[in-house]
Each structure stands twice: as structure tokens, then as C-alpha cells.
Amino acid sequence: MDNARSAPGQRKGPFLDQGTSRPNGMWARSRGLSLKRPFQRLCPDCGVPLSIARNHSWSDDGRILSRDSSQRLVIMERRVVEGILRRATEMLGGETGDILTRCKALDAFLYVRSLMTGWKKMVGKFPFGGRRFYDFLCEQARILGLADARVISYRKRRELLVGCTQCYSEALFAGDVLGAVQAGEGREAEVSFWEEKGEKRFGVTVGRKEAHAADITGLEEDSLPGNIVYRRRGDCEAPFPVSFFSWDTARGLILDTHNGETVAMLDTAGINAACLEIKSSHLPELDDLLAREIKEIVSRLLPGLEWKRRGPEERVRDLFFLAYRGMGNPVFTRGAAGVLEACVENPFNYPIVAGITAAFLSRGEPVSWEWERTSKARLEVRVRFQ
């Protein structure tokens, strides 16, 4: 997580030495796009890969949407994702991985379909189109900060083998690969993963039944209108704060230069579907447990941030990162008698956003806190300082 600063300083970080994301550059070497085009275009003003803006849009209500606006995404620290999954595995055991993979494949299927424009629509009609298509998706995984992935082998309508390092999550990336194959081949499939020669391997076996998009639209509420106005620069049209991420596409990593943490761009529907299944079938108290766990994880990241002195009514500025990360629209903060209260509209996940908000309001100080969904697409968090 990072604090929203009105006048950010010069970008720093080890990734800049890789030559992969420079404000004054226009190209970066990028494997997998094609044999004739081994480079990807960067915004000359801020260094953001242009494919990020081409395939995603930042709305004025605190959401990041896919090209066809059917999928919502968020930008989240890998360490936060790892903490959530580790805690879930401790509580539920090995079944957690199966749930995460299955649910993640649902939104990966839809996200890949949103990318299938132009030549990618014809992937099934060309003899070598499939291999090129999956090379493209591996490159997309690097740009999203999911993994440094590569196609090891591919047999049309039969199987795909992907190897990767720097994977953000084995269970979730297995779902990404599974959903991508089901979208590309148009058939149901099965995935397995293991480790070999120092990298993770993901093998997908294609079945014979036709694959259909699952109906997961009910997981996303109708959003409340917002009036966020982003400062945007140059060709990429991404919000200016996004330029303070540094892309190392050669390794499949994105660095938040505010706090030194690696982040990833994730579809939200799979995360929410997994939370709903775990809550309904295994752990009814999941929401409160998840909110508390998220607050603790995020609180451990906060000492690395630089804070400006602000009054309680100004701390909404510190929550602005929720908007350009796609997590929701921070509408207000207000304080009185040792209590801070914040309202966030259109949160992508109520307990996760509640925990993040509480951590930023408390800033490591001992507090008691609570959260509630007060109405449709509206979250309120109250923090009481001790």
C-alpha cells in the first residue's frame, strides 16, 4: 500500500536499473509478443506499458475495468495476497487450493475472452495460432505482475505446459492458466502443477466438452456514481499515480516505488467467488476474520511509508490510493473525540477493504475498530484510539 502524496518525489527503486520502465523511454524488450515484435511500447511520459491502458480503464467511481468493462481488477501487494492465502490454508487445509484454483479459472476465462480481439479471435483456425496466443498471454501475465511465464510445449486441443518463476500464487495462477486454456480452446480442461528444474510447471489437459462462461455477474454490485477526476499524462491515459509503479516485464514483477513492495493486477470476481464459497460452506465467520487479518498484514507495511501531518478531516487523501488501485471510492473521513470514521463506496470486497482502511486510519497506533456495510455498495469503518 502507498500513501497518496500531492507532490510525489522522483521515482526510486532497483527495477529502474533493468531498463524496463523509464519515463523518457518508449520501448522495452518483451518476450512472447511475436518473433517480429520483441518489444512493447511504453508511455514516453510516465513509462507505463501502453497495453495496461489499452486493455483497462479507470472509472470515476473507484474501479479498474477490463477492455469490455465486464471484469473488475485491483492492484494489490503480493505480500498481502500471500498472507491471505496462508491464513486461509491454516484454517481450512488443503481444500483451500482447490477452491481458489476453480474460482480463479472462472474470471480468468472471462478476462482472456475480453483480450481476444483482432488476430486473437482466430486462434483456433490457424495451425500455429494457439502457440502464439499463449505466448501473448504469458507476456500479459508479466505485464500484470503475475509471473515470469513461458510456454514450454503446446499441442492443439490436447495439452499446454507452462513454466514460470516469480509466481504470485501457485493456486491462483493455476486458475489463471486453466481459464486461459478453456477460453482459447473453447473446451473444458483440467490443470495440475508441480516444481521442476527450479521453476513452477502448470500442465493443462484439454477435454472434449465445450466450455461455457460461468455466470459470476452477481458477485459485482451495481456501482454508486462517483466524481473522481484523475490527473492523466501522455499517451497511456492511466492515472498519474500509476506511473509510480515500476514495471520489470523481463521478470514479471511490478514494484510500488512508494513502499518497495511488489504488486499484481488481479481480477476480483474469482477472489470474491472463493470468499463466498468458503464462507457459505466452511467458515461463516470468514468476513470478520479476514478483515482483522488484512489489517494486521497491512499494518506491518505502514512503517515503510512517509506520512505528512494531516488533520482527521484530511486523511481521505491518504485513502485515495484505494481509487487508483481499483479498490473503491473513499468518499470522506471525519473525526471527533478520539474516533475516526471513513466511508468507501464501491469496495471490491468489504472485509478486505475494511481491513486496509482501518490500518491506514490507525497508522500503527493501538485502536479498537469496527466496520459495516451500511447500504448497497457502501462501507463504513470506525476506529477508536485508546
Short mmCIF file of all heavy atoms in Angstrom, two decimals, residues 214-272:
data_model
loop_
_atom_site.label_atom_id
_atom_site.label_comp_id
_atom_site.label_asym_id
_atom_site.label_seq_id
_atom_site.Cartn_x
_atom_site.Cartn_y
_atom_site.Cartn_z
N ALA A 214 -19.02 -19.03 -17.00
CA ALA A 214 -19.85 -19.12 -15.80
C ALA A 214 -20.50 -17.77 -15.51
O ALA A 214 -19.93 -16.71 -15.82
CB ALA A 214 -19.00 -19.56 -14.62
N ASP A 215 -21.67 -17.80 -14.93
CA ASP A 215 -22.37 -16.57 -14.59
C ASP A 215 -21.89 -16.09 -13.23
O ASP A 215 -22.32 -16.59 -12.20
CB ASP A 215 -23.88 -16.81 -14.57
CG ASP A 215 -24.66 -15.53 -14.30
OD1 ASP A 215 -24.03 -14.44 -14.36
OD2 ASP A 215 -25.86 -15.61 -14.03
N ILE A 216 -20.95 -15.16 -13.25
CA ILE A 216 -20.45 -14.62 -11.98
C ILE A 216 -20.74 -13.12 -11.89
O ILE A 216 -20.13 -12.41 -11.09
CB ILE A 216 -18.93 -14.86 -11.84
CG1 ILE A 216 -18.17 -14.31 -13.05
CG2 ILE A 216 -18.63 -16.33 -11.65
CD1 ILE A 216 -16.67 -14.45 -12.93
N THR A 217 -21.68 -12.66 -12.71
CA THR A 217 -22.00 -11.24 -12.69
C THR A 217 -22.63 -10.83 -11.37
O THR A 217 -22.52 -9.68 -10.96
CB THR A 217 -22.96 -10.89 -13.84
OG1 THR A 217 -24.13 -11.74 -13.75
CG2 THR A 217 -22.28 -11.13 -15.18
N GLY A 218 -23.28 -11.74 -10.67
CA GLY A 218 -23.92 -11.40 -9.41
C GLY A 218 -22.95 -11.07 -8.30
O GLY A 218 -23.34 -10.56 -7.25
N LEU A 219 -21.66 -11.39 -8.50
CA LEU A 219 -20.65 -11.10 -7.49
C LEU A 219 -20.26 -9.63 -7.47
O LEU A 219 -19.64 -9.17 -6.53
CB LEU A 219 -19.40 -11.96 -7.74
CG LEU A 219 -19.61 -13.47 -7.63
CD1 LEU A 219 -18.35 -14.20 -8.06
CD2 LEU A 219 -19.99 -13.86 -6.21
N GLU A 220 -20.62 -8.90 -8.52
CA GLU A 220 -20.29 -7.48 -8.60
C GLU A 220 -21.56 -6.65 -8.46
O GLU A 220 -22.49 -6.78 -9.27
CB GLU A 220 -19.60 -7.18 -9.93
CG GLU A 220 -19.29 -5.71 -10.16
CD GLU A 220 -18.21 -5.17 -9.23
OE1 GLU A 220 -17.39 -5.98 -8.74
OE2 GLU A 220 -18.20 -3.96 -9.00
N GLU A 221 -21.63 -5.81 -7.44
CA GLU A 221 -22.80 -4.96 -7.23
C GLU A 221 -22.84 -3.84 -8.25
O GLU A 221 -21.81 -3.46 -8.83
CB GLU A 221 -22.75 -4.35 -5.82
CG GLU A 221 -22.84 -5.35 -4.70
CD GLU A 221 -22.75 -4.66 -3.36
OE1 GLU A 221 -21.88 -3.80 -3.19
OE2 GLU A 221 -23.55 -4.99 -2.48
N ASP A 222 -24.02 -3.31 -8.47
CA ASP A 222 -24.13 -2.09 -9.26
C ASP A 222 -23.41 -0.98 -8.50
O ASP A 222 -23.63 -0.78 -7.31
CB ASP A 222 -25.60 -1.72 -9.47
CG ASP A 222 -26.32 -2.72 -10.35
OD1 ASP A 222 -25.65 -3.37 -11.18
OD2 ASP A 222 -27.55 -2.85 -10.21
N SER A 223 -22.56 -0.26 -9.20
CA SER A 223 -21.73 0.74 -8.52
C SER A 223 -22.51 2.03 -8.29
O SER A 223 -23.41 2.38 -9.05
CB SER A 223 -20.48 1.04 -9.35
OG SER A 223 -20.84 1.58 -10.61
N LEU A 224 -22.13 2.73 -7.23
CA LEU A 224 -22.65 4.06 -6.98
C LEU A 224 -21.85 5.06 -7.83
O LEU A 224 -20.65 4.89 -8.02
CB LEU A 224 -22.51 4.42 -5.51
CG LEU A 224 -23.29 3.53 -4.53
CD1 LEU A 224 -22.99 3.93 -3.09
CD2 LEU A 224 -24.79 3.61 -4.79
N PRO A 225 -22.48 6.08 -8.36
CA PRO A 225 -21.75 7.05 -9.19
C PRO A 225 -20.69 7.78 -8.38
O PRO A 225 -20.86 8.03 -7.18
CB PRO A 225 -22.85 7.99 -9.68
CG PRO A 225 -23.95 7.85 -8.68
CD PRO A 225 -23.90 6.44 -8.20
N GLY A 226 -19.61 8.11 -9.04
CA GLY A 226 -18.53 8.84 -8.39
C GLY A 226 -18.15 10.06 -9.21
O GLY A 226 -18.60 10.25 -10.34
N ASN A 227 -17.28 10.87 -8.64
CA ASN A 227 -16.83 12.08 -9.35
C ASN A 227 -15.31 12.23 -9.23
O ASN A 227 -14.80 13.35 -9.15
CB ASN A 227 -17.54 13.33 -8.81
CG ASN A 227 -17.33 13.51 -7.31
OD1 ASN A 227 -16.66 12.70 -6.67
ND2 ASN A 227 -17.89 14.57 -6.76
N ILE A 228 -14.59 11.11 -9.23
CA ILE A 228 -13.14 11.17 -9.16
C ILE A 228 -12.59 11.73 -10.47
O ILE A 228 -12.98 11.30 -11.55
CB ILE A 228 -12.55 9.77 -8.91
CG1 ILE A 228 -13.07 9.20 -7.58
CG2 ILE A 228 -11.03 9.81 -8.91
CD1 ILE A 228 -12.67 7.75 -7.35
N VAL A 229 -11.70 12.66 -10.36
CA VAL A 229 -11.02 13.22 -11.52
C VAL A 229 -9.54 12.90 -11.38
O VAL A 229 -8.87 13.40 -10.48
CB VAL A 229 -11.23 14.75 -11.64
CG1 VAL A 229 -10.46 15.29 -12.84
CG2 VAL A 229 -12.71 15.07 -11.76
N TYR A 230 -9.03 12.05 -12.26
CA TYR A 230 -7.63 11.66 -12.20
C TYR A 230 -6.77 12.62 -13.03
O TYR A 230 -7.17 13.04 -14.11
CB TYR A 230 -7.43 10.25 -12.76
CG TYR A 230 -8.04 9.15 -11.93
CD1 TYR A 230 -9.16 8.47 -12.38
CD2 TYR A 230 -7.47 8.78 -10.71
CE1 TYR A 230 -9.71 7.44 -11.63
CE2 TYR A 230 -8.02 7.76 -9.96
CZ TYR A 230 -9.14 7.10 -10.42
OH TYR A 230 -9.68 6.08 -9.68
N ARG A 231 -5.61 12.90 -12.51
CA ARG A 231 -4.61 13.58 -13.34
C ARG A 231 -3.99 12.52 -14.25
O ARG A 231 -3.52 11.48 -13.78
CB ARG A 231 -3.53 14.20 -12.44
CG ARG A 231 -2.40 14.87 -13.20
CD ARG A 231 -1.32 15.33 -12.23
NE ARG A 231 -0.15 15.84 -12.95
CZ ARG A 231 1.00 16.14 -12.36
NH1 ARG A 231 1.13 15.98 -11.04
NH2 ARG A 231 2.02 16.58 -13.07
N ARG A 232 -4.02 12.76 -15.53
CA ARG A 232 -3.51 11.79 -16.51
C ARG A 232 -2.44 12.45 -17.35
O ARG A 232 -2.45 13.66 -17.57
CB ARG A 232 -4.64 11.26 -17.39
CG ARG A 232 -5.78 10.62 -16.58
CD ARG A 232 -6.89 10.16 -17.50
NE ARG A 232 -8.10 9.79 -16.77
CZ ARG A 232 -8.41 8.55 -16.42
NH1 ARG A 232 -7.60 7.57 -16.74
NH2 ARG A 232 -9.53 8.29 -15.77
N ARG A 233 -1.52 11.58 -17.85
CA ARG A 233 -0.41 12.12 -18.63
C ARG A 233 -0.21 11.33 -19.91
O ARG A 233 -0.35 10.11 -19.93
CB ARG A 233 0.89 12.07 -17.83
CG ARG A 233 0.94 12.99 -16.62
CD ARG A 233 2.31 12.96 -15.98
NE ARG A 233 3.34 13.39 -16.91
CZ ARG A 233 4.65 13.37 -16.63
NH1 ARG A 233 5.06 12.92 -15.46
NH2 ARG A 233 5.52 13.78 -17.52
N GLY A 234 0.13 12.04 -20.98
CA GLY A 234 0.63 11.43 -22.19
C GLY A 234 -0.32 10.48 -22.88
O GLY A 234 -1.54 10.59 -22.80
N ASP A 235 0.27 9.49 -23.56
CA ASP A 235 -0.48 8.58 -24.40
C ASP A 235 -1.23 7.51 -23.62
O ASP A 235 -2.20 6.95 -24.12
CB ASP A 235 0.45 7.88 -25.39
CG ASP A 235 1.11 8.85 -26.36
OD1 ASP A 235 0.51 9.92 -26.58
OD2 ASP A 235 2.21 8.55 -26.85
N CYS A 236 -0.77 7.19 -22.41
CA CYS A 236 -1.29 5.99 -21.76
C CYS A 236 -2.66 6.20 -21.14
O CYS A 236 -3.41 5.26 -20.94
CB CYS A 236 -0.31 5.48 -20.70
SG CYS A 236 -0.23 6.51 -19.22
N GLU A 237 -3.01 7.45 -20.73
CA GLU A 237 -4.30 7.76 -20.13
C GLU A 237 -4.50 7.07 -18.78
O GLU A 237 -5.60 7.05 -18.25
CB GLU A 237 -5.45 7.37 -21.07
CG GLU A 237 -5.58 8.28 -22.29
CD GLU A 237 -5.89 9.71 -21.91
OE1 GLU A 237 -6.73 9.94 -21.03
OE2 GLU A 237 -5.27 10.61 -22.50
N ALA A 238 -3.46 6.45 -18.23
CA ALA A 238 -3.56 5.89 -16.87
C ALA A 238 -3.44 7.02 -15.86
O ALA A 238 -2.79 8.04 -16.13
CB ALA A 238 -2.47 4.86 -16.64
N PRO A 239 -4.07 6.90 -14.68
CA PRO A 239 -3.91 7.94 -13.66
C PRO A 239 -2.43 8.17 -13.33
O PRO A 239 -1.63 7.23 -13.31
CB PRO A 239 -4.67 7.36 -12.46
CG PRO A 239 -5.66 6.43 -13.05
CD PRO A 239 -4.98 5.83 -14.25
N PHE A 240 -2.09 9.41 -13.05
CA PHE A 240 -0.69 9.75 -12.79
C PHE A 240 -0.06 8.90 -11.69
O PHE A 240 1.11 8.50 -11.81
CB PHE A 240 -0.58 11.24 -12.45
CG PHE A 240 0.82 11.67 -12.14
CD1 PHE A 240 1.78 11.75 -13.13
CD2 PHE A 240 1.18 12.00 -10.84
CE1 PHE A 240 3.07 12.14 -12.84
CE2 PHE A 240 2.47 12.40 -10.54
CZ PHE A 240 3.42 12.47 -11.54
N PRO A 241 -0.75 8.59 -10.57
CA PRO A 241 -0.10 7.78 -9.53
C PRO A 241 0.36 6.41 -10.02
O PRO A 241 1.27 5.82 -9.44
CB PRO A 241 -1.20 7.64 -8.46
CG PRO A 241 -2.06 8.83 -8.64
CD PRO A 241 -2.08 9.06 -10.12
N VAL A 242 -0.26 5.90 -11.10
CA VAL A 242 0.15 4.59 -11.62
C VAL A 242 1.57 4.66 -12.18
O VAL A 242 2.28 3.65 -12.22
CB VAL A 242 -0.84 4.11 -12.70
CG1 VAL A 242 -0.41 2.79 -13.33
CG2 VAL A 242 -2.24 3.95 -12.08
N SER A 243 2.02 5.85 -12.56
CA SER A 243 3.37 5.99 -13.10
C SER A 243 4.43 5.74 -12.03
O SER A 243 5.61 5.58 -12.36
CB SER A 243 3.57 7.38 -13.71
OG SER A 243 3.58 8.38 -12.72
N PHE A 244 4.04 5.71 -10.77
CA PHE A 244 4.99 5.45 -9.69
C PHE A 244 5.12 3.96 -9.40
O PHE A 244 5.78 3.57 -8.44
CB PHE A 244 4.61 6.24 -8.43
CG PHE A 244 4.90 7.71 -8.58
CD1 PHE A 244 3.98 8.55 -9.17
CD2 PHE A 244 6.12 8.23 -8.19
CE1 PHE A 244 4.26 9.90 -9.35
CE2 PHE A 244 6.41 9.57 -8.35
CZ PHE A 244 5.47 10.41 -8.94
N PHE A 245 4.49 3.15 -10.23
CA PHE A 245 4.83 1.73 -10.27
C PHE A 245 5.92 1.54 -11.31
O PHE A 245 5.92 2.20 -12.35
CB PHE A 245 3.61 0.87 -10.65
CG PHE A 245 2.50 0.91 -9.66
CD1 PHE A 245 1.21 1.28 -10.05
CD2 PHE A 245 2.71 0.59 -8.33
CE1 PHE A 245 0.17 1.32 -9.15
CE2 PHE A 245 1.68 0.64 -7.41
CZ PHE A 245 0.41 0.99 -7.82
N SER A 246 6.83 0.63 -11.02
CA SER A 246 7.93 0.36 -11.95
C SER A 246 7.78 -1.05 -12.49
O SER A 246 7.73 -2.01 -11.72
CB SER A 246 9.28 0.52 -11.24
OG SER A 246 10.35 0.26 -12.12
N TRP A 247 7.68 -1.19 -13.82
CA TRP A 247 7.46 -2.48 -14.46
C TRP A 247 8.78 -3.15 -14.83
O TRP A 247 9.60 -2.56 -15.55
CB TRP A 247 6.62 -2.30 -15.72
CG TRP A 247 5.15 -2.42 -15.50
CD1 TRP A 247 4.38 -3.53 -15.70
CD2 TRP A 247 4.26 -1.40 -15.04
NE1 TRP A 247 3.07 -3.27 -15.38
CE2 TRP A 247 2.97 -1.97 -14.97
CE3 TRP A 247 4.43 -0.06 -14.66
CZ2 TRP A 247 1.85 -1.25 -14.56
CZ3 TRP A 247 3.34 0.65 -14.24
CH2 TRP A 247 2.06 0.07 -14.20
N ASP A 248 9.00 -4.35 -14.34
CA ASP A 248 10.12 -5.19 -14.77
C ASP A 248 9.50 -6.38 -15.51
O ASP A 248 9.32 -7.46 -14.95
CB ASP A 248 10.95 -5.65 -13.58
CG ASP A 248 12.19 -6.44 -13.99
OD1 ASP A 248 12.31 -6.74 -15.19
OD2 ASP A 248 13.01 -6.75 -13.13
N THR A 249 9.14 -6.17 -16.77
CA THR A 249 8.43 -7.21 -17.51
C THR A 249 9.32 -8.40 -17.83
O THR A 249 8.82 -9.48 -18.11
CB THR A 249 7.85 -6.65 -18.82
OG1 THR A 249 8.88 -5.99 -19.56
CG2 THR A 249 6.75 -5.64 -18.53
N ALA A 250 10.64 -8.21 -17.78
CA ALA A 250 11.53 -9.34 -18.02
C ALA A 250 11.39 -10.39 -16.92
O ALA A 250 11.64 -11.58 -17.15
CB ALA A 250 12.98 -8.86 -18.10
N ARG A 251 10.99 -9.97 -15.72
CA ARG A 251 10.84 -10.90 -14.61
C ARG A 251 9.39 -11.04 -14.14
O ARG A 251 9.11 -11.75 -13.18
CB ARG A 251 11.71 -10.46 -13.43
CG ARG A 251 13.20 -10.56 -13.70
CD ARG A 251 13.99 -10.39 -12.42
NE ARG A 251 13.87 -9.05 -11.88
CZ ARG A 251 14.14 -8.74 -10.60
NH1 ARG A 251 14.49 -9.68 -9.76
NH2 ARG A 251 14.03 -7.49 -10.19
N GLY A 252 8.47 -10.35 -14.78
CA GLY A 252 7.07 -10.45 -14.40
C GLY A 252 6.76 -9.81 -13.06
O GLY A 252 5.93 -10.32 -12.31
N LEU A 253 7.39 -8.68 -12.78
CA LEU A 253 7.21 -8.01 -11.49
C LEU A 253 6.84 -6.55 -11.69
O LEU A 253 7.27 -5.90 -12.65
CB LEU A 253 8.50 -8.08 -10.66
CG LEU A 253 8.98 -9.47 -10.23
CD1 LEU A 253 10.35 -9.37 -9.57
CD2 LEU A 253 7.98 -10.13 -9.29
N ILE A 254 6.01 -6.03 -10.77
CA ILE A 254 5.68 -4.61 -10.70
C ILE A 254 6.05 -4.15 -9.30
O ILE A 254 5.65 -4.76 -8.31
CB ILE A 254 4.19 -4.35 -10.96
CG1 ILE A 254 3.73 -4.98 -12.27
CG2 ILE A 254 3.92 -2.85 -10.98
CD1 ILE A 254 2.22 -4.91 -12.47
N LEU A 255 6.81 -3.07 -9.21
CA LEU A 255 7.25 -2.54 -7.92
C LEU A 255 6.51 -1.25 -7.60
O LEU A 255 6.42 -0.36 -8.45
CB LEU A 255 8.75 -2.27 -7.96
CG LEU A 255 9.35 -1.68 -6.68
CD1 LEU A 255 9.43 -2.74 -5.59
CD2 LEU A 255 10.72 -1.08 -6.95
N ASP A 256 5.98 -1.16 -6.39
CA ASP A 256 5.44 0.09 -5.89
C ASP A 256 6.62 0.86 -5.30
O ASP A 256 7.16 0.48 -4.27
CB ASP A 256 4.38 -0.17 -4.82
CG ASP A 256 3.77 1.10 -4.27
OD1 ASP A 256 4.32 2.18 -4.51
OD2 ASP A 256 2.74 1.01 -3.58
N THR A 257 7.03 1.93 -5.97
CA THR A 257 8.22 2.64 -5.53
C THR A 257 7.99 3.48 -4.28
O THR A 257 8.94 4.02 -3.72
CB THR A 257 8.76 3.55 -6.66
OG1 THR A 257 7.76 4.50 -7.03
CG2 THR A 257 9.14 2.72 -7.87
N HIS A 258 6.74 3.60 -3.82
CA HIS A 258 6.47 4.28 -2.55
C HIS A 258 6.93 3.44 -1.37
O HIS A 258 7.46 3.96 -0.39
CB HIS A 258 4.97 4.58 -2.39
CG HIS A 258 4.52 5.78 -3.16
ND1 HIS A 258 5.06 7.03 -3.00
CD2 HIS A 258 3.55 5.92 -4.09
CE1 HIS A 258 4.44 7.88 -3.79
NE2 HIS A 258 3.52 7.24 -4.47
N ASN A 259 6.70 2.15 -1.43
CA ASN A 259 6.98 1.31 -0.26
C ASN A 259 7.91 0.13 -0.54
O ASN A 259 8.19 -0.65 0.35
CB ASN A 259 5.67 0.80 0.36
CG ASN A 259 4.84 -0.04 -0.60
OD1 ASN A 259 5.34 -0.55 -1.61
ND2 ASN A 259 3.56 -0.20 -0.31
N GLY A 260 8.35 -0.02 -1.79
CA GLY A 260 9.28 -1.10 -2.11
C GLY A 260 8.65 -2.47 -2.21
O GLY A 260 9.36 -3.48 -2.29
N GLU A 261 7.31 -2.54 -2.24
CA GLU A 261 6.61 -3.82 -2.31
C GLU A 261 6.24 -4.16 -3.75
O GLU A 261 5.88 -3.27 -4.53
CB GLU A 261 5.33 -3.78 -1.46
CG GLU A 261 5.57 -3.67 0.03
CD GLU A 261 6.08 -4.96 0.63
OE1 GLU A 261 5.76 -6.04 0.09
OE2 GLU A 261 6.78 -4.89 1.66
N THR A 262 6.30 -5.43 -4.10
CA THR A 262 5.83 -5.87 -5.41
C THR A 262 4.31 -6.02 -5.37
O THR A 262 3.74 -6.45 -4.36
CB THR A 262 6.47 -7.20 -5.82
OG1 THR A 262 6.30 -8.16 -4.79
CG2 THR A 262 7.95 -7.01 -6.10
N VAL A 263 3.66 -5.66 -6.48
CA VAL A 263 2.20 -5.71 -6.56
C VAL A 263 1.80 -6.50 -7.81
O VAL A 263 2.63 -6.82 -8.66
CB VAL A 263 1.60 -4.29 -6.63
CG1 VAL A 263 1.98 -3.48 -5.40
CG2 VAL A 263 2.03 -3.56 -7.91
N ALA A 264 0.52 -6.81 -7.91
CA ALA A 264 -0.03 -7.51 -9.07
C ALA A 264 -1.41 -6.95 -9.37
O ALA A 264 -2.11 -6.46 -8.47
CB ALA A 264 -0.10 -9.01 -8.83
N MET A 265 -1.82 -7.01 -10.65
CA MET A 265 -3.17 -6.63 -11.05
C MET A 265 -4.01 -7.89 -11.13
O MET A 265 -3.73 -8.79 -11.93
CB MET A 265 -3.14 -5.91 -12.40
CG MET A 265 -2.49 -4.54 -12.35
SD MET A 265 -2.64 -3.62 -13.92
CE MET A 265 -4.42 -3.29 -13.95
N LEU A 266 -5.06 -7.97 -10.31
CA LEU A 266 -5.84 -9.20 -10.16
C LEU A 266 -7.30 -8.96 -10.51
O LEU A 266 -7.87 -7.92 -10.17
CB LEU A 266 -5.76 -9.70 -8.71
CG LEU A 266 -4.37 -9.83 -8.08
CD1 LEU A 266 -4.50 -10.18 -6.61
CD2 LEU A 266 -3.56 -10.87 -8.81
N ASP A 267 -7.91 -9.95 -11.16
CA ASP A 267 -9.36 -9.93 -11.32
C ASP A 267 -10.01 -10.15 -9.95
O ASP A 267 -9.52 -10.92 -9.13
CB ASP A 267 -9.82 -11.05 -12.25
CG ASP A 267 -9.19 -10.92 -13.63
OD1 ASP A 267 -9.07 -9.79 -14.10
OD2 ASP A 267 -8.84 -11.96 -14.22
N THR A 268 -11.12 -9.47 -9.69
CA THR A 268 -11.74 -9.56 -8.38
C THR A 268 -12.81 -10.64 -8.28
O THR A 268 -13.10 -11.11 -7.18
CB THR A 268 -12.38 -8.21 -8.00
OG1 THR A 268 -13.43 -7.90 -8.94
CG2 THR A 268 -11.35 -7.10 -8.01
N ALA A 269 -13.43 -11.02 -9.39
CA ALA A 269 -14.56 -11.95 -9.32
C ALA A 269 -14.14 -13.29 -8.74
O ALA A 269 -14.87 -13.89 -7.96
CB ALA A 269 -15.17 -12.14 -10.71
N GLY A 270 -12.96 -13.79 -9.13
CA GLY A 270 -12.51 -15.07 -8.60
C GLY A 270 -12.25 -15.02 -7.11
O GLY A 270 -12.57 -15.96 -6.36
N ILE A 271 -11.65 -13.91 -6.65
CA ILE A 271 -11.40 -13.73 -5.21
C ILE A 271 -12.71 -13.72 -4.45
O ILE A 271 -12.87 -14.39 -3.42
CB ILE A 271 -10.62 -12.43 -4.97
CG1 ILE A 271 -9.23 -12.51 -5.62
CG2 ILE A 271 -10.49 -12.15 -3.48
CD1 ILE A 271 -8.46 -11.22 -5.57
N ASN A 272 -13.68 -12.97 -4.96
CA ASN A 272 -14.98 -12.87 -4.27
C ASN A 272 -15.75 -14.19 -4.32
O ASN A 272 -16.44 -14.55 -3.36
CB ASN A 272 -15.80 -11.75 -4.89
CG ASN A 272 -15.23 -10.37 -4.59
OD1 ASN A 272 -14.52 -10.19 -3.59
ND2 ASN A 272 -15.51 -9.41 -5.43
#
